[in-house]
Amino acid sequence: DPYAARENRYDDGVPYRRVGESGLKLPALSLGLWHNFGDDKPLQTQRDILRRAFDLGVTHFDLANNYGPPPGSAERNFGTIFAEDFRPYREQLVISSKAGWVMQPGPYGFGGSRKYLLSSLDRSLERMGLDHVDIFYSHRPDPETPLEETMGALHSAVTSGKALYVGISSYSADLTARAQEIMRELGTPLLIHQPSYSMLNRWVERGEETTTGTSGPSLLETTAAEGMGVIAFSPLAQGLLTGRYLDGVPEDSRAAAGKSLSGRMLSEENLARVRGLAGIAADRGQSLAQMAIAWVLRSPAVTSALIGASSVAQLEDSVGAAANLEFTADELAAIDEFAVD
Ligand code: NDP
């Protein structure tokens, strides 16, 4: 059946937030295609999730060259669905991709070289059937490549018209400030940083130790000072910060599939924290997933929560977070008792 987007999606859907000091806005919740969009998942489910997301005002889909499995298949599957459903809405979508982690064997399929980043961007555009992405990321810092080279490649991605904006992912606060300095000189300031952030993973809040042993600014302080937005990935700790694992490991879950959610994360200690947090969420009249999403959005430095979903029902539950993004000081203090990493 042909797709027509829901008419009222911009009236009653998720709110939009400005990305740092840029002109771009992102939905408070964005959808990532890391898991659940590879060749191991039915295309119809993928299509249903993407349609429902857009119908709820989720205008941002986040991909990377290696998402799958196999690597590249998430972009290819997205390209198929985009061509059939979303082409008329291209101007209403913010589509991102990345390169940096392993994509292919050999010396040119990994890291932060100009060679890898720019050829990977071309292949990503081919797989998705796009002539440009909205945001292109350096997926990870690469200590073996000069920062100037990686940033130069991002700058070229923009000047060649293949990306409208660029960002970085998982860079430390210090490296972020240095990267932004280079990009400002090149005339293409970094739009956004994509770090991991959740109630069980609070590194972005902590001051970073400097070379002289003193405490420097945190990543969230740095991005704010540099005019960059932040999109927090895995705000649900890959599903742990939901009701999903409270009665064991469900057969159809990411943890059972032996994917990236490790047994170490499912420790009794963490599960006790999750139970404590679930109680606070219940008092707020929210699901735990909704509270976990609202919590990463409580800082004005964070633009968007970048979630995953393996079903339409999960997506709908998570988007419901937007109905209550406010916390009292008492609630935040109660959460801090359990939100430790
Ligand atoms: P989440 O923390 O949102 O975890 C998503 C998983 O949680 C789902 O697959 C599902 O697990 C479960 N889940 C989601 N919603 C609910 C709900 N309402 N109730 C119960 N369970 C729920 O994020 P991801 O780890 O999936 O990451 C999100 C995106 O972030 C990625 O797709 C990617 O775009 C980006 N990312 C970027 C990285 C980077 O290096 N830059 C690294 C990792 C992610 P299940 O599948 O078991 O049902």
Side-chain angles (χ1 to χ4, degrees), residues 261-272:
L261 181 53
S262 68
R264 193 178 51 81
M265 278 299 286
L266 295 170
S267 65
E268 266 317 308
E269 218 179 3
N270 269 350
L271 287 171

Side-chain angles (χ1 to χ4, degrees), residues 192-305:
I192 196 164
H193 192 302
Q194 185 175 131
S196 60
Y197 185 35
S198 75
M199 293 192 295
L200 296 175
N201 172 10
R202 303 180 66 165
W203 74 275
V204 299
E205 299 174 3
R206 283 193 286 267
E208 230 167 55
E209 201 179 315
T210 65
T211 44
T212 56
T214 55
S215 177
S218 69
L219 181 67
L220 291 186
E221 287 165 345
T222 300
T223 50
E226 299 291 347
M228 298 166 64
V230 169
I231 180 162
F233 77 71
S234 299
L236 304 176
Q238 301 201 50
L240 185 50
L241 285 169
T242 72
R244 203 126 164 68
Y245 295 100
L246 285 179
D247 306 305
V249 177
E251 242 169 66
D252 61 348
S253 66
R254 185 180 297 186
K259 291 189 172 169
S260 48
L261 181 53
S262 68
R264 193 178 51 81
M265 278 299 286
L266 295 170
S267 65
E268 266 317 308
E269 218 179 3
N270 269 350
L271 287 171
R273 291 175 182 140
V274 172
R275 276 191 204 95
L277 293 167
I280 301 169
D283 290 343
R284 283 168 53 84
Q286 277 184 319
S287 70
L288 175 53
Q290 291 170 348
M291 184 176 84
I293 290 162
W295 184 87
V296 298
L297 291 168
R298 80 198 184 290
S299 161
V302 176
T303 318
S304 185

Side-chain angles (χ1 to χ4, degrees), residues 31-36 41 62-63 67 98 101 139 169-170 194 233-240 242-245 252-255 287 289 306-310 313-315 317-318:
L31 180 68
L33 283 72
W34 177 29
H35 291 296
N36 308 314
K41 299 286 174 126
D62 180 74
L63 295 100
Y67 290 176
K98 326 183 185 79
W101 293 109
H139 207 160
S169 178
S170 301
Q194 185 175 131
F233 77 71
S234 299
L236 304 176
Q238 301 201 50
L240 185 50
T242 72
R244 203 126 164 68
Y245 295 100
D252 61 348
S253 66
R254 185 180 297 186
S287 70
L306 179 51
I307 59 161
S310 63
Q314 284 182 355
L315 174 83
D317 175 47
S318 295

